[in-house]
Amino acid sequence: MRIVVLAGGIGGARFLRGLKAAAPEADITVIGNTGDDIHLFGLKVCPDLDTVMYTLGGGIHEEQGWGRADETFTVKEELAAYGVGPEWFGLGDRDFATHIVRTQMIGAGYPLSAVTEALCARWQPGVRLLPMSDDRVETHVLVEADGERKAVHFQEYWVRLRASVPAQAVVPVGAEAAKPAPGVLEAIAAADVIVFPPSNPVVSIGTILAVPGIREAIAEAGVPVVGLSPIIGDAPVRGMADKVLAAVGVESSAAAVATHYGSGLLDGWLVDTVDADAVAGVEAAGIRCRAVPLLMSDLDTTTRMAREALDLAEEVRA
Amino acid sequence: MRIVVLAGGIGGARFLRGLKAAAPEADITVIGNTGDDIHLFGLKVCPDLDTVMYTLGGGIHEEQGWGRADETFTVKEELAAYGVGPEWFGLGDRDFATHIVRTQMIGAGYPLSAVTEALCARWQPGVRLLPMSDDRVETHVLVEADGERKAVHFQEYWVRLRASVPAQAVVPVGAEAAKPAPGVLEAIAAADVIVFPPSNPVVSIGTILAVPGIREAIAEAGVPVVGLSPIIGDAPVRGMADKVLAAVGVESSAAAVATHYGSGLLDGWLVDTVDADAVAGVEAAGIRCRAVPLLMSDLDTTTRMAREALDLAEEVRA
């Protein structure tokens, strides 16, 4: 079975661990969000790709969900001693090596997809990890701060501001001109199932869908497209998805996210058991819906979630 | 008193510490060798400039003579885990931060001289540290290995090969087209004394002199130019200066190095007391010469050496 998964960072990565356990024989291609990539200290940092790679490769800081286990911060401290920031972005020494290799390869002319493949040769994530695009796309968030409207990089909004000011708009800068990375459209066309994990529907999956051609390819793939709600009981499971949902005019609820994707794209949707009363509404919108436990508290529960998603896909197909 | 010093790495840096102690009121400008600069992992590394900066700024690994004190090697280990080398060059985590800042600033368009000034704002070396040039100059060594002649980067010859194969030629690639960095010629023209510390006469001071305009400016400055022999008793005090002296057809002796510089450039020369019998020959070549202890075993002995050099300069001037 060929499964294509659109993934952001922590939520997508943890779900993928469950999916690998639920479908150990499957051929899984992950299309990773690169809209939150950022250049720091002259280095190209790809937080979402790295979170997937480290999580599936056994290098992730488990409690934190991002960054490397057993991390140290010598380089960052030294950069601060030079007065060079930002200090709000937590790059550790082990992590720095990844960004140094990536930046060196990009400087030598390799596209991000080739670099990602090279990095994965070490981590052996057990999936094929593709960036959504080799072209630079940068998610900016329009906020009002100090009485003026300004656009800040998504990481600045998310990490430095902790989404504490309202997001007025979310703009994937460069997306219109971006092309899907080599292999992305081919993987979608060859997929048996397409899955939207409980990643952020705006700044993760939404950004991937903003790359021209990807949304269309999914809609036209003719295979079940199933998703898992990142919202449980009207609040995001983790992160601050509600903040950016507001910016795109979508209510923070499991049902609203499903109809935001829409029945033109989505065939099946899993909501948590606490949101069982949303099932009827989602189904009325033309999307098959089931209520199952959606908290990824450990590998077992996550594996069960992935199995439910695959079961729902088969139900849709049949 | 305005003193200009041409410096390589360890020898030059240690001498400078003595010079600062010997002439605490002096205005010292250091023209640093950049011929052994190397790009590693996509980062610009300037070993000689950094050795001077760390030594005078209190950050040097004292026993080793290069690199940072209390160093760790996490980034390097991680790069090796990605299969990215070279492994023979010992970049530590603290050191990496320096190269990251430098590379970022150069990428943003700053010349190396401005970058060096910015890095020194942290280290406060107590001297004005200028790279010999903002242009890229790279010392290559012609060697015969595996039956074929090839040119290797100086660092590869020095650090990886440990100068174990004969150097047939030393070529400062790019030197002819390089321009002295801003401030270099001005500092030489304004100097009261110019000093050649016991740095490598070929790959350190020789490379600086290979930048068009610097040798001429020193010869025409009309002020005493005094040097200290890096060779004691026919062997280099440290390093492998004898290997590269052979490549330029110069005998490894205190007297031969003096005549290699020549009386057109050098007015005074200090040899070690064990080389006292070389004094007459050097003086016969038109260079004032004295035999004094030249082992930089601690700050006191180094300070005395610096004082002897300044005394010799005054003797030449009178």
Side-chain angles (χ1 to χ4, degrees), chain B residues 229-235 237 252-255 269-282 289-294:
Chain B
S229 176
I231 307 285
I232 295 184
D234 302 346
V237 179
S252 182
S253 76
W269 188 242
L270 292 179
V271 300
D272 189 74
T273 44
V274 306
D275 296 311
D277 56 1
V279 170
V282 174
C289 187
R290 295 285 171 269
V292 300
L294 286 191

Side-chain angles (χ1 to χ4, degrees), chain B:
Chain B
M1 182 165 54
R2 286 162 299 196
I3 308 176
V4 166
V5 180
L6 272 53
I10 305 177
R14 289 189 173 161
F15 174 77
L16 281 163
R17 210 144 52 169
L19 183 65
K20 281 174 65 185
E25 301 301 318
D27 172 349
I28 302 173
T29 297
V30 177
I31 301 172
N33 171 41
T34 58
D36 60 352
D37 290 3
I38 186 167
H39 286 77
L40 295 169
F41 316 109
L43 301 173
K44 185 170 176 66
V45 180
C46 300
D48 282 0
L49 294 179
D50 288 350
T51 295
V52 170
M53 184 173 80
Y54 293 160
T55 300
L56 300 185
I60 199 79
H61 186 302
E62 289 290 345
E63 296 70 41
Q64 192 170 256
W66 53 269
R68 295 286 309 276
D70 302 317
E71 190 55 289
T72 52
F73 292 87
T74 306
V75 176
K76 188 184 173 180
E77 285 160 23
E78 287 290 327
L79 290 168
Y82 279 115
V84 171
E87 297 201 33
W88 49 264
F89 204 90
L91 287 187
D93 299 330
R94 293 182 190 275
D95 205 19
F96 257 111
T98 301
H99 313 314
I100 288 170
V101 174
R102 176 184 292 123
T103 306
Q104 184 179 15
M105 285 190 72
I106 285 177
Y110 291 93
L112 181 60
S113 50
V115 174
T116 305
E117 190 178 346
L119 295 172
C120 284
R122 170 184 177 192
W123 291 103
Q124 298 288 326
V127 301
R128 184 169 176 222
L129 178 60
L130 301 176
M132 64 189 201
S133 178
D134 280 336
D135 301 319
R136 186 165 169 178
V137 178
E138 209 168 79
T139 303
H140 286 195
V141 180
L142 200 64
V143 295
E144 196 167 306
D146 310 321
E148 60 173 344
R149 269 185 127 197
K150 59 174 180 175
V152 297
H153 189 287
F154 171 70
Q155 296 294 352
E156 189 172 352
Y157 175 74
W158 207 247
V159 180
R160 187 173 78 80
L161 299 173
R162 302 294 306 156
S164 59
V165 293
Q168 299 178 338
V170 176
V171 185
V173 178
E176 311 101 307
K179 290 179 298 298
V184 165
L185 297 182
E186 294 79 353
I188 293 170
D192 297 307
V193 179
I194 297 168
V195 181
F196 295 180
S199 288
N200 189 306
V202 181
V203 295
S204 297
I205 295 178
T207 307
I208 300 171
L209 294 173
V211 176
I214 294 185
R215 175 188 288 272
E216 297 73 11
I218 293 172
E220 293 160 13
V223 296
V225 179
V226 298
L228 299 92
S229 176
I231 307 285
I232 295 184
D234 302 346
V237 179
R238 60 163 294 128
M240 303 155 284
D242 47 334
K243 311 285 184 179
V244 287
L245 279 168
V248 296
V250 175
E251 188 189 289
S252 182
S253 76
V257 174
T259 51
H260 170 63
Y261 286 133
S263 61
L265 196 65
L266 205 60
D267 302 305
W269 188 242
L270 292 179
V271 300
D272 189 74
T273 44
V274 306
D275 296 311
D277 56 1
V279 170
V282 174
E283 296 227 315
I287 299 164
R288 190 73 60 103
C289 187
R290 295 285 171 269
V292 300
L294 286 191
L295 266 179
M296 297 191 285
S297 37
D298 57 33
L299 182 57
D300 278 351
T301 57
T302 310
T303 306
R304 274 194 291 274
M305 279 169 58
R307 204 169 285 132
E308 294 283 1
L310 296 178
D311 287 350
L312 182 60
E314 292 316 309
E315 203 183 309
V316 165
R317 193 193 311 276

